[in-house]
Amino acid sequence: MGLPEPHPGQPRRADLRVSDADRHAVADILREAAGEGRLDIDELEERLEETYRAKTYADLEPITQDLPVAGQMPPAPVAPAASVVPVVYGQGDASDSASAFLSNVQRKGVWVVPQHLSVNAVLGDADIDLREAHYSAREVVINATSILGSVKVTVPPHVHVIVEGNGVLGDFKEPSAKVPEVLSVDSPVVRVRGVAVLGDVTVRRRGPRGPKRTLKQHLGLE
């Protein structure tokens, strides 16, 4: 009996980003294969270059598929089910927009993310926080445009985010590895597309929003 099919909308393992440890593991496999005479020097160098250029598991897996150790790729990290924040899918708009022209705009707290969200920041700041959001679909697309402005998209650990934007004399930044992905069968997929022209679009991963603390609590008085 094979493995169960992933839930619709669940990102395939092949699409997930690999870590430096994954790349080093494949490099070790290649060096061992070269030591056994399975690869010549030119093949080893070529495959090592492909390994260190790899972004996803789909990029890495073909590199060792003709070697005896093929298929022994490091498993994608999965956190215990108890630590995964449940995702709520609801009926929402097919499309919506949030624009900041010489101003600021926010979407945060409990809100429903439409299937297609356009975010525009022109000489302004747009802050899109998905940590408490509900989703109208298992895969949503955020089209972010920043012109001399700033767009920030905050995603929680249980969301698989795919960044496909470009910077033109600006920055279009992916989440750092400081907060890792924690995926489940219910995890939504968020694609962030668009362009940053003399501005920035920053996608960051943060933990769940905590309760607000009073001044007395910050001072340790209650």
Side-chain angles (χ1 to χ4, degrees):
M1 181 179 297
L3 294 175
E5 291 294 324
H7 197 286
Q10 169 70 7
R12 299 180 306 141
R13 180 175 181 271
D15 295 331
L16 298 179
R17 291 269 175 159
V18 294
S19 66
D20 287 339
D22 296 329
R23 297 185 186 92
H24 294 328
V26 171
D28 290 341
I29 291 172
L30 295 174
R31 293 188 184 98
E32 183 177 348
E36 295 172 347
R38 302 182 192 275
L39 299 174
D40 61 31
I41 296 300
D42 290 339
E43 289 174 319
L44 175 62
E45 291 180 354
E46 180 180 346
R47 295 196 190 196
L48 284 174
E49 289 180 2
E50 293 177 3
T51 297
Y52 288 108
R53 285 199 305 264
K55 300 294 186 183
T56 66
Y57 285 97
D59 297 331
L60 274 186
E61 288 170 352
I63 296 173
T64 58
Q65 66 182 1
D66 60 346
L67 300 175
V69 289
Q72 297 182 7
M73 296 292 296
V78 178
S83 66
V84 177
V85 178
V87 179
V88 179
Y89 293 99
Q91 297 296 322
D93 295 332
S95 62
D96 197 1
S97 64
S99 299
F101 296 97
L102 292 169
S103 61
N104 299 329
V105 65
Q106 288 186 330
R107 294 286 188 277
K108 64 179 182 179
V110 178
W111 63 292
V112 179
V113 185
Q115 193 166 0
H116 296 277
L117 176 65
S118 295
V119 181
N120 305 294
V122 179
L123 292 168
D125 296 316
D127 186 2
I128 308 300
D129 193 331
L130 305 181
R131 285 178 290 177
E132 298 178 59
H134 299 176
Y135 298 82
S136 58
R138 289 191 178 277
E139 179 169 329
V140 300
V141 177
I142 297 177
N143 287 301
T145 301
S146 172
I147 302 176
L148 293 169
S150 176
V151 176
K152 291 183 175 60
V153 180
T154 305
V155 299
H158 65 279
V159 167
H160 179 55
V161 63
I162 301 171
V163 179
E164 301 173 332
N166 298 295
V168 180
L169 297 177
D171 292 323
F172 212 109
K173 299 178 182 177
E174 299 187 15
S176 69
K178 185 176 181 180
V179 178
E181 282 187 338
V182 180
L183 302 179
S184 72
V185 295
D186 292 322
S187 292
V189 178
V190 175
R191 291 183 181 272
V192 182
R193 298 171 175 170
V195 63
V197 181
L198 294 170
D200 62 87
V201 175
T202 302
V203 183
R204 56 188 182 180
R205 192 181 304 280
R206 297 286 188 271
R209 292 169 59 89
K212 293 183 178 180
R213 303 183 68 194
T214 65
L215 177 60
K216 287 185 177 181
Q217 287 174 325
H218 279 292
L219 297 175
L221 301 178
E222 62 174 43

